[in-house]
Amino acid sequence: MERMVRLSAGRIDIRVRLTPKSSADRIEGVAAASDGSAHLAARVRAVPEKGAANAALERLVADWLGVPGRTVSVTGGATSRIKTVSVAGDATLLSKRVEERLVGG
């Protein structure tokens, strides 16, 4: 099973499945794709036009992790539902924060 969070030097990469045009912006938790790979399920109100949904996802992840918005960016899958979101910073600390958020709700 592919890991949802990958640690690199100075950042983490998170696999996210984004659902745009939702009723609210929220992180729903961990889900599994049909191939068994794990991803973070997220919903945003923004529409998938001109990068609006990706920008909303970046803001959502930044708020969820309590990091500055400038440290979060969609780095893969810009036009796909499955995206890679990179968060710059201490990879170990950020990984622990993701785990805490998922366990704590």
Side-chain angles (χ1 to χ4, degrees):
M1 177 191 302
E2 184 177 338
R3 289 185 44 106
M4 181 185 72
V5 177
R6 289 180 308 222
L7 282 64
S8 298
R11 75 171 198 269
I12 62 170
D13 295 321
I14 308 169
R15 271 178 60 100
V16 179
R17 183 180 192 279
L18 181 63
T19 302
K21 299 191 295 184
S22 183
S23 60
D25 294 344
R26 66 180 177 266
I27 302 289
E28 296 187 318
V30 178
S34 59
D35 66 359
S37 63
H39 58 267
L40 191 64
R43 294 180 176 274
V44 296
R45 291 181 300 231
V47 296
E49 295 175 4
K50 299 181 183 177
N54 289 340
L57 175 61
E58 291 170 351
R59 288 189 301 274
L60 177 63
V61 170
D63 289 345
W64 186 66
L65 291 175
V67 298
R70 68 181 178 276
T71 65
V72 180
S73 59
V74 173
T75 57
T79 60
S80 173
R81 283 191 185 266
I82 301 290
K83 300 176 183 302
T84 301
V85 176
S86 295
V87 184
D90 182 315
T92 303
L93 176 68
L94 289 168
S95 177
K96 286 180 183 176
R97 195 171 293 171
V98 168
E99 186 176 327
E100 290 169 359
R101 296 297 190 269
L102 292 172
V103 171

